[in-house]
Amino acid sequence: MASFSKPRSSRYEIRSISLPSRSHPTTLRIEEELNKLKISEASSTMTNAEKICSGLLGLNEVYKCLDEALKLPLTQKALSLDQHERWIDESLDASVRLLDVCSTARDFTSQIKERVVDLESAIRRKKGDSRIQICTAKYFSFRKEMNKGAKKLIKDVKQIDNKIASLPLLDQQLEDDHHVTAVIRVLKEVSSISVSVYNSLLLFFSPRISKPKSKSWSKLLDKGRVTCEEQKGNENELQRVDVALSNIWQCGGSSDQVSENMKMAQNGLEELEASIESIENGLECLFKGMIKARASLLNIVSL
């Protein structure tokens, strides 16, 4: 089981929010999108591509709604007051740090896809074991590098989450302004759910690497086949490719068995490539949505 596939801690457990009944329809729509995303995030501890894509899509919708709310004249007038300066500053700080995480994750997707495409080409053209082994070595080398980067970012997003959680509540005087209360609560909730979605994404990028340890890459037939067949439901797309690549280097076997292993690896790589492309597209859309929302927040600061 992957060391980074365990259930998330209570820091990422989610609760439905309920904004004041007199909130603007736009902020109420953000509440609806936030609650849908939170339910989706809590529904499974698995970190496979389907969950990641769903989370990115839902988060993008949240940022679209947030951008609309921040562009409302009522919001701009309310948040431009001096007493809300700290909330705006903290929201801007969180947004730029989350954008950095998104940008790094986009780099991960483009680079891992490049290695996957190279492996697919080598296996499909059957240029020999040496070509496949070289591409596999490059693939696992980058996986190791990516794991380290993802683990570092996991620590970074936890720091963002801790800082968001430590922000004080509004005082009673400001609580009487229902729209201000709703918008500031939404800003905090959006940052918090962003942390949760990015945490899932980074867990996807940092599973245990099931790299063959034997120089000859043998002794993997029985162990590899059991892992692939019996633990498929507990692995993400990256780990399933690990198993498939290991099976290519089994010791012995008939030509039919070798062909079957090659086909298994090819199918796994195709699945991973499609998954990575979906994640890449989701990150691209989300990045643009986050930029727009941040720009709207900066516009409020300039008022």
Side-chain angles (χ1 to χ4, degrees):
M1 189 70 181
S3 59
F4 277 82
S5 295
K6 60 184 180 180
R8 293 170 293 174
S9 67
S10 59
R11 297 293 293 118
Y12 296 99
E13 290 178 0
I14 56 179
R15 298 188 301 274
S16 174
I17 64 169
S18 181
L19 299 178
S21 59
R22 282 178 281 177
S23 294
H24 191 278
T26 303
T27 53
L28 292 175
R29 193 154 72 88
I30 300 177
E31 174 194 1
E32 181 182 351
E33 293 297 334
L34 278 168
N35 288 334
K36 285 195 300 185
L37 180 53
K38 289 181 176 186
I39 291 172
S40 175
E41 281 291 290
S43 63
S44 172
T45 58
M46 289 292 293
T47 54
N48 56 25
E50 182 179 359
K51 178 183 177 180
I52 301 304
C53 291
S54 176
L56 293 175
L57 179 63
L59 189 58
N60 188 40
E61 288 301 315
V62 167
Y63 273 100
K64 285 182 180 179
C65 295
L66 177 61
D67 184 45
E68 292 177 11
L70 292 174
K71 287 178 177 177
L72 291 172
L74 178 63
T75 303
Q76 294 178 348
K77 180 180 179 180
L79 292 184
S80 63
L81 300 177
D82 291 341
Q83 59 261 49
H84 305 313
E85 183 177 357
R86 180 181 178 184
W87 281 95
I88 299 299
D89 288 344
E90 293 293 349
S91 295
L92 285 170
D93 179 66
S95 69
V96 74
R97 295 177 70 183
L98 289 169
L99 278 168
D100 286 343
V101 175
C102 186
S103 179
T104 302
R106 292 163 71 200
D107 291 340
F108 286 163
T109 57
S110 63
Q111 293 181 62
I112 193 67
K113 187 171 71 172
E114 180 181 341
R115 272 72 178 180
V116 168
V117 170
D118 286 345
L119 267 169
E120 285 183 286
S121 177
I123 293 174
R124 183 169 53 250
R125 297 178 182 179
K126 298 179 180 179
K127 290 186 175 180
D129 290 353
S130 61
R131 172 59 179 166
I132 296 174
Q133 188 167 356
I134 289 172
C135 291
T136 301
K138 289 182 179 179
Y139 170 83
F140 280 123
S141 177
F142 177 72
R143 280 284 311 282
K144 184 177 180 180
E145 178 184 338
M146 184 173 67
N147 275 20
K148 290 181 179 179
K151 290 174 184 177
K152 181 181 181 299
L153 285 180
I154 287 174
K155 293 180 181 179
D156 291 343
V157 296
K158 285 183 178 179
Q159 291 177 357
I160 298 172
D161 194 37
N162 290 335
K163 191 169 184 179
I164 294 168
S166 67
L167 288 174
L169 299 174
L170 293 173
D171 59 39
Q172 186 59 49
Q173 181 180 1
L174 297 181
E175 285 279 7
D176 293 335
D177 187 331
H178 294 289
H179 186 68
V180 169
T181 300
V183 172
I184 289 181
R185 191 177 302 174
V186 159
L187 285 171
K188 186 173 182 178
E189 290 287 339
V190 170
S191 294
S192 182
I193 194 62
S194 297
V195 165
S196 181
V197 171
Y198 280 128
N199 187 69
S200 295
L201 173 64
L202 294 170
L203 291 176
F204 173 84
F205 281 131
S206 57
R208 177 179 60 82
I209 301 176
S210 304
K211 179 179 178 180
K213 295 181 180 180
S214 171
K215 290 184 179 180
S216 63
W217 292 14
S218 61
K219 303 178 183 179
L220 294 165
L221 177 58
D222 294 335
K223 183 179 179 181
R225 295 174 72 82
V226 168
T227 303
C228 185
E229 295 171 5
E230 296 184 2
Q231 296 187 4
K232 184 175 181 180
N234 295 324
E235 295 181 325
N236 69 25
E237 290 78 359
L238 285 165
Q239 292 167 300
R240 290 203 287 272
V241 165
D242 289 355
V243 174
L245 292 175
S246 297
N247 283 337
I248 290 179
W249 301 101
Q250 65 176 321
C251 183
S254 65
S255 58
D256 288 341
Q257 186 62 65
V258 172
S259 178
E260 180 184 340
N261 289 336
M262 287 288 191
K263 184 177 180 181
M264 182 184 298
Q266 187 71 27
N267 290 340
L269 288 165
E270 289 175 357
E271 178 189 23
L272 178 57
E273 183 185 2
S275 298
I276 292 297
E277 285 183 351
S278 296
I279 293 173
E280 189 175 36
N281 292 335
L283 284 169
E284 182 66 26
C285 292
L286 178 57
F287 189 81
K288 292 178 180 178
M290 293 176 69
I291 287 290
K292 289 181 180 179
R294 177 175 169 77
S296 296
L297 200 55
L298 285 169
N299 286 337
I300 294 176
V301 175
S302 65
L303 291 177

